[in-house]
Amino acid sequence: MPTRVPQERRRRRPTRSGVLLSEDLIVETALRLIGEHGPEALSVRRLGTAIGCDPSALYRYFHGTDDLVLAIADRIIGDAMAGFAPGDDWVASLREMALRVRAGYLAHPRAAAFASYRVTRRENEIRAVETGIGLLLSAGFAPVDATRLYLTFIDTVLSHAAMDAAFQALPRPQREADHRAWHDVYQGLDPVAYPALTTVRQELHSMGDSSFEEAVDLLLEALAARAPGML
Amino acid sequence: MPTRVPQERRRRRPTRSGVLLSEDLIVETALRLIGEHGPEALSVRRLGTAIGCDPSALYRYFHGTDDLVLAIADRIIGDAMAGFAPGDDWVASLREMALRVRAGYLAHPRAAAFASYRVTRRENEIRAVETGIGLLLSAGFAPVDATRLYLTFIDTVLSHAAMDAAFQALPRPQREADHRAWHDVYQGLDPVAYPALTTVRQELHSMGDSSFEEAVDLLLEALAARAPGML
DNA sequence: GTCTTGCGTCAATCCTGTTGACATAAGGCG
DNA sequence: CGCCTTATGTCAACAGGATTGACGCAAGAC
């Protein structure tokens, strides 16, 4: 396999168009491509063109498309968590972690869609997991519980954030139509067939909003209730 | 555009291999292909081969790949909720709803991963919302709370199920690598830099599993704690 | 029986990821 | 300073992807 990759030191040579390649440059260009033209615009060929190098040069930096995707995902995590330090209040700290992850995803909505369910195995992700599990351990949970509950927490945060990001990535008309959809559709329903919806029909407008914060708060309430120190 | 689609009546002609094409046959064959050979086996060319027609014939029935996948997803939703009736226990009923949705998604991961971020506005969805909000109303929640909490509940379920499905839809090597990732990566970390991970290192194997049921249970615990009847 | 036209087929186009061969210059070493 | 190894950018090619325009057959209406 000629696709060997991440050495520590490199023998860098400018490309035909004068650019000095680097993993950072590639990831940043990929994020820009996705942000401007959507996830489907990310292909090895287009990325090479955007950077100013031959597409195959990218294989000197990444084993393949999947490797590149993981690098992108890890970069998003790193940006989101930059400068975060957990405080004394573990609930508040987890809450801020959640909000930061969501903000990071919303900053790159189209990339978030395919990055959210991957395990990047890279530094930024490892640090985030260390922080999160550390917070749950400080709350008094046993290792086995802290691990499982962190997984549950972060999966909820990631999947919810990804859903918000995917919605954000929709074209404006479709997004607005979906936002109004609940209000529009349910107003004219048969009260006999749909008694519950009829009862809450005044409140259905809120169905278009994000439930992210409420979901995180509910989850943290349940975690706090289960925490050993809370008896 | 020669790609016109779903007329009511059709002039059906057997293909070269004698098959009579139909939307149902195409959707069912696609689901079979995915089930037998994994999600990556679904391509227009292979689908045509499996059915016994030219790949381009499929464009007489679907505008494109997206259209086909949405048709598949529509079928999945109907199947998942078929025969469900809520019981007296609102928590248990919501729990079963959650499990059904997830099962439906996991049965056809690629289609689910593709469609979960979209609002169908169809009858099955409306009935599900009616059922869910009805359960929360029966728990004693006020309309405004029942609505918001149902949204939070179903968003958690849908996004989590979508995440599981997306993971399931990964090509096998990547899926297995991701599943082992936590165990593999974190075993050799520096204990000083990663104290929390070091503490829980025996438990990290569980990080590869789904947290769906735990997330649903935690959410339902929080809902039950907030329920007016529970004072 | 004829005519229209729906629809299956074919071939072509343009994409995609990936790789083996090749050339060239970077940088270690004398 | 200059050589030599080899990392790395480039090129060409391959297999397979979605999609579509032209073509021709036959289904169904009349």
Side-chain angles (χ1 to χ4, degrees), chain A residues 22-29 62 75:
Chain A
S22 70
E23 188 171 315
D24 277 354
L25 174 64
I26 296 172
V27 169
E28 279 155 20
T29 308
F62 300 97
R75 162 66 65 104

Side-chain angles (χ1 to χ4, degrees), chain B residues 45-222:
Chain B
R45 287 172 134 93
R46 269 196 280 252
L47 185 52
T49 304
I51 292 173
C53 68
D54 189 272
S56 65
L58 302 176
Y59 289 87
R60 306 280 182 202
Y61 293 82
F62 300 98
H63 291 100
T65 310
D66 290 8
D67 198 25
L68 171 62
V69 173
L70 286 182
I72 294 171
D74 196 54
R75 156 105 33 140
I76 295 174
I77 295 175
D79 291 352
M81 294 301 289
F84 171 72
D88 290 337
D89 185 340
W90 65 273
V91 171
S93 296
L94 283 177
R95 192 169 197 280
E96 188 186 339
M97 257 186 85
L99 294 180
R100 273 173 173 265
V101 167
R102 176 169 183 257
Y105 273 27
L106 284 186
H108 308 288
R110 183 178 180 186
F114 200 93
S116 54
Y117 300 122
R118 306 197 176 176
V119 182
T120 72
R121 262 175 269 181
R122 301 175 138 230
E123 196 190 347
N124 287 322
E125 184 186 59
I126 296 179
R127 274 211 303 266
V129 176
E130 164 71 20
T131 302
I133 291 183
L135 285 167
L136 288 174
L137 288 175
S138 82
F141 286 105
V144 60
D145 294 327
T147 306
R148 281 299 292 175
L149 293 176
Y150 175 74
L151 174 65
T152 305
F153 167 77
I154 199 63
D155 273 3
T156 296
V157 169
L158 287 175
S159 64
H160 226 108
M163 176 182 249
D164 280 2
F167 178 74
Q168 207 68 23
L170 283 175
R172 174 177 293 270
Q174 292 166 28
R175 190 166 67 246
E176 290 177 347
D178 275 16
H179 189 82
R180 284 191 315 267
W182 302 94
H183 183 77
D184 294 350
V185 169
Y186 291 102
Q187 293 303 326
L189 289 180
D190 174 21
V192 177
Y194 300 99
L197 286 171
T198 304
T199 302
V200 304
R201 67 190 179 283
Q202 309 288 353
E203 320 296 343
L204 284 176
H205 62 89
S206 71
M207 291 285 281
D209 302 333
S210 168
S211 62
F212 182 88
E213 291 199 47
E214 210 142 6
V216 168
D217 286 341
L218 282 167
L219 195 68
L220 289 177
E221 281 179 24

Side-chain angles (χ1 to χ4, degrees), chain A residues 167-180:
Chain A
F167 179 74
Q168 204 67 24
L170 285 176
R172 174 177 291 268
Q174 196 174 338
R175 189 168 69 244
E176 290 174 348
D178 275 13
H179 196 270
R180 285 192 314 269

Side-chain angles (χ1 to χ4, degrees), chain A residues 10-11 13 16 53-54 56-57 60-61:
Chain A
R10 314 190 70 95
R11 205 190 272 187
R13 186 174 19 157
R16 160 174 298 268
C53 69
D54 190 272
S56 64
R60 305 284 180 198
Y61 292 82

